[in-house]
Amino acid sequence: MDIGELLSFKPEATPKRSHEDDEDYSPEKPPSRQEEKNSKRLKRIAQAKEAADFAKPEEPIPQLSGVAAALLDPELTNEERMNILKYVESEEAEGDVLDEQGLKKLLLVFEKKNLKNQELRIKYSDNPIKFMDSEVELHSVIQELKAVATVPDLYPVLVELNGIPSLLELLNHPNTDIAVAIVDLLQEVTDVDILGESSDGAEVLIEALRKQQVIALLVQNLERLNEQIKEEADGVHNTLSIVENLTEMNNDIVAEAAQQGLLAWILKRLKQKPPYDANKLYCSEILSILIQTNYDNKLMLGELDGIDILLQQLAFYKKHDPSSTEEQEYMENLFNCMCSALMAKENREKFLKGEGLQLMNLMLREKKMSRNGSLKVLDHAMSGPDGRDNCNKFVDILGLRTIFPLFMKTPKKSKRLLSADAHEEHVCAVIASMLRNCKGAQRQRLLSKFTENDHEKVDRLLELHLKYLEKVEAVDREIDQQPRDDDMDETEEAENNYLKRLTGGLFTLQMIDYIILEISATSESIKSRVLQILNLRGASMKTIRSVMREYAGNLGEDGDADWKEQEETHILSLVDRF
């Protein structure tokens, strides 16, 4: 933190987001994750500083606030200024810092206030005025407990003293203000930066929370929160933040969160109107975390009608562009979630039945921002052996009229969010998947596209082949020039280099050359055109054969061993015939 930042620093607690108290309130965009962490850090510094005395006893501090006032005091020595700076960086107050004894006292006070509130609520259940003061006192002591977030080494003490069950019990408190205060406390103590300061404390805390099935309790609380109330909308946001923190620290919680009801709640929340709000954005991010790497969660999403729900939410963007960068991020998250979900065969069947292909096809024709995401989704839906039904259906719904104009001409930058390379990769992958999977009449309709208008699509294909061949050759030269890593064995180095070549354009080149082989094998006129252009451009058939032999030897994870063997044999036979 430089001097300029220090001078502009104000130690007051960060104000909550303002809103209008009316029926039309919808939560505003929450601050970014980094802004939140910085805000909380500054808040903790400010709170700790209140107890610290930086001024010399004889010299009063000028009437300014916080660190700025201390640094601007002309009577301060350089050493004292350095102490202030060092303090701010380390967040260590010279005043009282919570210790084990202090935490025990605080927990004892908390238990007493909690018990008192329970007793008064039972005794005066029909007269809230009688227990209102005890509720305020309980809320205050929960706020004080946030001090433990500044000392994660004390987390084991918190767990040993049975503090976690007592705190989590209050997530069911009849007063949602108390429950939201607990959520806020949990969000602070599970902050990833805080947990990173004490691995032992983090491990003990997370295990204690998992033992109490914290996600299930949080979901129960989410069910009753009213997001038309600002504080409760913040409570929803902070709950999702807790989940994000926990899954980042322990990947096992990804599966537990889905099993304990969070996946179902998120899908239900996405269905709510309006089409977009800030908490929907966060829900889309958490959904992506839950299904990205966990196959069982992908299946669960399908069982919970998640494919239809995602399609319903995406349908809004068929004719409407997002109105802000945040909403654009939300839309892209939904597309990414759909791509993750389509990795499961069962979900591809649901996508087909839910007319997902028709929606993606319409999006491509509408030329809105959603065209970029729909292209990625089509690629995922049609790839591999599990994409056969989707490929044939796409031809049936006249998808060829949509995809080939995008193949012939990459849209201008203003009309797309994807890079030109990414756009061409997805389009070529979709066409390659159709050539691999389509049979009968659908295949004939696809092949006829390459002979119409004097083989213009073959010309475009060779243009793309030469473009991506040049890219791959540039990457190969770069790899040849890089120094040898002695810590890496040859196999690992070869895999890393292959991955580098794939991302540098080889994957797209493989798709292009696969298309060239497939269509050349079906038509002498196409093969003659390919040879003619290669000769004119000084290119070689050997290059295409070499690329495809390498491709056949490195088939991806789609399909089982039998499919891979058949596919490899098929590709090598195409190479021999070329």
Side-chain angles (χ1 to χ4, degrees):
M1 192 180 286
D2 61 30
I3 295 295
E5 289 175 312
L6 286 169
L7 293 179
S8 63
F9 169 70
K10 290 183 172 60
E12 294 88 0
T14 305
K16 290 189 175 182
R17 300 190 291 277
S18 59
H19 74 288
E20 302 291 334
D21 290 325
D22 59 33
E23 294 178 359
D24 296 328
Y25 165 70
S26 67
E28 298 172 17
K29 174 186 177 290
S32 71
R33 232 59 74 232
Q34 192 55 48
E35 286 171 343
E36 281 188 327
K37 287 173 180 175
N38 291 341
S39 171
K40 284 185 286 187
R41 179 175 179 271
L42 293 178
K43 204 189 296 184
R44 288 198 301 274
I45 294 171
Q47 289 168 346
K49 266 203 311 298
E50 288 176 5
D53 181 13
F54 291 109
K56 295 195 296 184
E58 315 83 43
E59 304 290 341
I61 291 179
Q63 293 304 304
L64 294 170
S65 62
V67 179
L71 285 172
L72 289 174
D73 184 353
E75 299 298 323
L76 281 177
T77 65
N78 283 336
E79 185 181 352
E80 286 168 326
R81 283 195 178 89
M82 289 307 294
N83 285 339
I84 293 173
L85 288 169
K86 185 178 178 183
Y87 161 75
V88 172
E89 285 302 316
S90 66
E91 296 185 40
E92 291 178 2
E94 293 175 16
D96 293 335
V97 176
L98 189 67
D99 57 14
E100 184 174 335
Q101 200 60 35
L103 178 58
K104 288 179 178 177
K105 288 179 182 176
L106 204 50
L107 280 173
L108 186 60
V109 173
F110 164 73
E111 294 288 1
K112 286 180 178 178
K113 301 289 185 189
N114 188 14
L115 185 61
K116 179 183 176 185
N117 177 244
Q118 289 177 23
E119 290 173 346
L120 290 175
R121 270 190 163 272
I122 293 168
K123 189 173 182 180
Y124 302 107
S125 57
D126 297 329
N127 190 359
I129 294 174
K130 294 282 189 180
F131 56 74
M132 191 180 294
D133 287 344
S134 70
E135 220 118 288
V136 172
E137 290 173 3
L138 178 58
H139 192 276
S140 296
V141 75
I142 293 170
Q143 299 301 319
E144 288 179 44
L145 274 168
K146 288 182 183 179
V148 75
T150 63
V151 197
D153 287 334
L154 289 180
Y155 287 180
V157 179
L158 179 66
V159 172
E160 284 168 21
L161 295 172
N162 215 34
I164 297 302
S166 298
L167 289 169
L168 294 182
E169 188 181 85
L170 288 179
L171 286 170
N172 290 320
H173 196 282
N175 184 345
T176 54
D177 286 347
I178 299 294
V180 166
I182 293 293
V183 167
D184 197 21
L185 170 61
L186 289 172
Q187 197 266 341
E188 293 226 4
V189 297
T190 59
D191 183 286
V192 174
D193 289 342
I194 299 295
L195 293 176
E197 293 174 14
S198 173
S199 57
D200 291 342
E203 188 177 336
V204 170
L205 177 71
I206 291 172
E207 282 309 307
L209 291 171
R210 290 175 69 189
K211 188 177 178 182
Q212 297 297 319
Q213 295 200 318
V214 63
I215 306 292
L217 296 172
L218 289 169
V219 171
Q220 286 174 21
N221 186 48
L222 283 171
E223 296 281 5
R224 65 182 182 140
L225 294 182
N226 176 7
E227 292 184 61
Q228 298 303 314
I229 300 169
K230 165 94 171 65
E231 289 70 24
E232 297 191 21
D234 287 348
V236 171
H237 179 264
N238 286 337
T239 301
L240 296 173
S241 182
I242 294 167
V243 176
E244 184 181 28
N245 292 338
L246 293 176
T247 53
E248 190 170 334
M249 296 302 295
N250 188 324
N251 196 52
D252 292 343
I253 294 173
V254 168
E256 292 173 13
Q259 291 160 5
Q260 291 176 26
L262 185 64
L263 186 56
W265 181 86
I266 285 177
L267 291 172
K268 188 167 76 172
R269 177 64 180 82
L270 289 176
K271 288 199 293 185
Q272 293 177 15
K273 294 182 178 180
Y276 167 79
D277 60 44
N279 278 344
K280 271 194 172 186
L281 170 59
Y282 210 171
C283 282
S284 69
E285 292 174 7
I286 301 300
L287 179 60
S288 182
I289 290 170
L290 294 183
I291 68 170
Q292 195 166 33
T293 57
N294 190 292
Y295 192 80
D296 289 340
N297 286 0
K298 290 179 174 69
L299 294 178
M300 188 186 294
L301 176 131
E303 291 162 4
L304 293 168
D305 292 328
I307 299 297
D308 279 345
I309 291 168
L310 287 174
L311 288 173
Q312 288 162 17
Q313 299 314 302
L314 285 168
F316 175 79
Y317 297 105
K318 181 178 68 179
K319 292 186 178 293
H320 301 90
D321 276 339
S323 58
S324 64
T325 53
E326 290 78 18
E327 187 174 359
Q328 183 181 317
E329 184 184 347
Y330 167 68
M331 179 187 75
E332 290 172 2
N333 286 344
L334 293 181
F335 276 120
N336 289 336
C337 287
M338 182 65 83
C339 289
S340 292
L342 289 174
M343 300 298 282
K345 178 183 178 180
E346 293 84 348
N347 288 340
R348 295 197 192 192
E349 294 170 4
K350 291 180 170 66
F351 179 80
L352 180 63
K353 290 176 183 174
E355 300 190 344
L357 287 169
Q358 288 88 331
L359 177 60
M360 298 304 122
N361 192 33
L362 288 171
M363 284 178 166
L364 287 177
R365 292 182 181 181
E366 287 291 340
K367 300 181 181 178
K368 297 288 184 184
M369 282 187 183
S370 57
R371 176 163 68 178
N372 309 283
S374 61
L375 196 53
K376 286 198 297 184
V377 169
L378 280 178
D379 186 358
H380 280 77
M382 297 162 74
S383 67
D386 296 336
R388 185 171 292 119
D389 292 341
N390 280 315
C391 285
N392 286 297
K393 184 66 175 179
F394 190 68
V395 177
D396 291 341
I397 63 171
L398 309 180
L400 299 182
R401 295 182 186 179
T402 311
I403 201 72
F404 274 104
L406 294 173
F407 170 73
M408 291 301 295
K409 185 178 180 183
T410 300
K412 293 178 181 176
K413 189 164 175 43
S414 59
K415 295 286 185 183
R416 58 177 164 76
L417 299 173
L418 294 170
S419 66
D421 288 356
H423 173 91
E424 289 162 4
E425 176 191 316
H426 290 305
V427 170
C428 291
V430 166
I431 294 172
S433 291
M434 286 191 289
L435 282 166
R436 182 179 282 120
N437 285 322
C438 288
K439 305 295 177 190
Q442 288 92 343
R443 182 174 175 80
Q444 283 307 120
R445 286 164 64 182
L446 175 60
L447 290 170
S448 67
K449 284 287 178 182
F450 290 95
T451 55
E452 65 185 22
N453 295 332
D454 192 25
H455 299 82
E456 64 175 5
K457 294 174 184 64
V458 179
D459 296 351
R460 172 64 170 161
L461 204 52
L462 270 296
E463 177 190 325
L464 289 171
H465 165 77
L466 293 167
K467 172 185 173 180
Y468 282 93
L469 180 60
E470 191 176 317
K471 283 178 176 290
V472 173
E473 286 172 344
V475 174
D476 286 342
R477 286 193 296 273
E478 189 182 317
I479 289 171
D480 289 340
Q481 292 169 6
Q482 70 186 16
R484 174 87 170 79
D485 187 348
D486 295 330
D487 296 331
M488 196 181 297
D489 61 43
E490 287 185 12
T491 305
E492 189 179 355
E493 185 177 37
E495 288 176 358
N496 285 348
N497 288 339
Y498 186 64
L499 190 60
K500 192 173 183 179
R501 294 174 71 229
L502 280 176
T503 54
L506 178 61
F507 177 76
T508 308
L509 181 63
Q510 289 171 343
M511 294 300 101
I512 293 165
D513 289 358
Y514 177 81
I515 296 169
I516 291 173
L517 289 189
E518 281 279 9
I519 62 177
S520 296
T522 61
S523 165
E524 280 301 320
S525 69
I526 290 176
K527 187 173 181 179
S528 297
R529 188 60 165 251
V530 170
L531 294 175
Q532 180 188 353
I533 297 170
L534 286 174
N535 289 331
L536 280 172
R537 299 294 294 271
S540 168
M541 294 172 67
K542 289 180 181 176
T543 308
I544 296 176
R545 291 193 193 106
S546 173
V547 168
M548 292 316 295
R549 284 196 183 98
E550 183 181 36
Y551 175 57
N554 291 279
L555 288 173
E557 296 178 3
D558 285 337
D560 55 23
D562 290 342
W563 177 84
K564 285 181 186 175
E565 188 178 338
Q566 290 172 11
E567 188 65 14
E568 184 178 354
T569 304
H570 174 63
I571 292 168
L572 292 175
S573 71
L574 289 174
V575 171
D576 293 338
R577 289 159 63 189
F578 186 61

